[in-house]
Amino acid sequence: MSSFRFEKNPDISYAINALVSEESSDFSKEDLFRILEESMANSIEYAHGEYGNTVVKINRTDGSLSFYRNLTVVDSESPNVSLEISLQNAQEIDANAKLGSNILNPLEVMSFTESMVRTFRSSLNQKMTMARKEKEYDRFQNMIGNLVSCHIKRSSNFGLLVIVGKTEAFLPKNQLMKQEVGSYSPGDSIQAVIKDVVRSDVNTQVILTRTTNEFLGELLKSHIQEVGDGTIQIKGIRRFGIWYYNI
């Protein structure tokens, strides 16, 4: 089994250090290590024509890399060496190996070639993009019904494209109050409630509203202290009034 450290591979080391530094606030360290391991496995498989069963393990303490094939234990003296391992050979690695189980068989990888590094970087970028999208989707999914502040980036006949934090969101025309339509310009700040979050292959689409009862309720909570702290509790909202009582 081959084992080498990040500092012996400057391109890999640079990518790892940059990633950990840049993404530390959005991802756990373990998440980052997992993405790095999967990206390295992809680069090895691309270079050597493997079958999707390469496993890379990064030692969390000293940064060394270890490589394996995840093989299925079979009752055969001539297994497909890329996918399978005989029971006898498997038990030389792990005495408890059984037929049908899987075992990590050490794989020799002496160095990362230039093409492997390129594949690693490409795979890493793709996986990080997917992970960011997943994080973004989960974050906004948990915020449905919440009031958010945003500023308008662009307006159109269909509604307003706005920025919530660093994320683009859409406030459809039919989710604006009638008197508001056409009254906003790029750069204006507004508040809205997150109505829905739609996942797509390209991005996460956040849909906002300013017409629902939830919006009015959240607006009252943010602007009236007694509502926000629960002294006054809203029991219901209708277009012609608000029911509330004092606690």
Side-chain angles (χ1 to χ4, degrees):
M1 175 182 64
S2 58
S3 177
F4 55 92
R5 300 190 180 190
F6 297 149
E7 56 265 24
K8 294 182 180 179
N9 301 270
D11 289 316
I12 299 295
S13 177
Y14 174 81
I16 291 170
N17 292 333
L19 180 66
V20 171
S21 174
E22 178 185 349
E23 304 292 347
S24 58
S25 61
D26 294 327
F27 296 91
S28 70
K29 205 166 188 177
E30 192 57 36
D31 285 340
L32 295 176
F33 273 119
R34 177 183 55 78
I35 292 171
L36 288 164
E37 288 170 338
E38 291 175 357
S39 299
M40 289 182 192
N42 286 350
S43 68
I44 293 169
E45 290 173 349
Y46 182 82
H48 297 285
E50 299 297 339
Y51 293 85
N53 61 338
T54 301
V55 176
V56 176
K57 290 184 178 291
I58 301 175
N59 187 296
R60 305 311 194 242
T61 302
D62 64 13
S64 59
L65 306 177
S66 300
F67 309 92
Y68 307 88
R69 280 198 186 103
N70 187 19
L71 303 178
T72 301
V73 181
V74 297
D75 185 17
S76 172
E77 294 305 316
S78 55
N80 180 336
V81 294
S82 293
L83 298 172
E84 301 169 335
I85 186 171
S86 69
L87 179 60
Q88 179 180 348
N89 289 340
Q91 290 179 337
E92 291 177 4
I93 300 172
D94 180 356
N96 297 318
K98 298 178 180 179
L99 289 175
S101 63
N102 286 76
I103 192 167
L104 294 180
N105 190 35
L107 175 66
E108 288 291 332
V109 178
M110 300 310 298
S111 64
F112 269 69
T113 64
E114 188 174 329
S115 63
M116 290 170 71
V117 170
R118 285 198 300 269
T119 304
F120 165 70
R121 285 176 170 169
S122 175
S123 177
L124 182 60
N125 287 336
Q126 290 176 2
K127 288 183 179 295
M128 285 306 304
T129 297
M130 291 176 62
R132 290 189 194 102
K133 288 178 182 177
E134 194 67 30
K135 284 275 186 182
E136 184 179 62
Y137 175 82
D138 290 343
R139 179 164 67 90
F140 282 103
Q141 186 71 24
N142 291 330
M143 291 172 63
I144 288 178
N146 289 3
L147 184 71
V148 294
S149 297
C150 45
H151 66 270
I152 297 170
K153 181 178 180 180
R154 188 170 61 249
S155 62
S156 71
N157 292 333
F158 304 102
L160 302 173
L161 181 66
V162 304
I163 304 297
V164 180
K166 296 180 180 179
T167 302
E168 288 188 351
F170 186 60
L171 182 51
K173 184 177 180 180
N174 63 4
Q175 296 301 318
L176 287 165
M177 290 179 279
K178 288 183 179 180
Q179 63 269 29
E180 292 183 303
V181 176
S183 64
Y184 292 113
S185 302
D188 287 350
S189 296
I190 59 171
Q191 290 181 301
V193 158
I194 296 177
K195 184 175 186 287
D196 196 11
V197 184
V198 181
R199 192 202 308 261
S200 73
D201 293 336
V202 178
N203 56 21
T204 296
Q205 188 172 24
V206 181
I207 308 299
L208 306 179
T209 180
R210 283 175 58 86
T211 62
T212 62
N213 292 340
E214 289 79 10
F215 167 70
L216 182 54
E218 291 298 316
L219 200 62
L220 290 171
K221 287 180 185 179
S222 69
H223 286 78
I224 301 176
Q225 181 178 346
E226 292 80 3
V227 177
D229 64 20
T231 302
I232 296 177
Q233 190 174 90
I234 296 174
K235 300 299 291 181
I237 299 174
R238 296 293 183 270
R239 290 185 179 272
F240 48 84
I242 301 171
W243 282 268
Y244 67 89
Y245 66 87
N246 293 334
I247 294 177

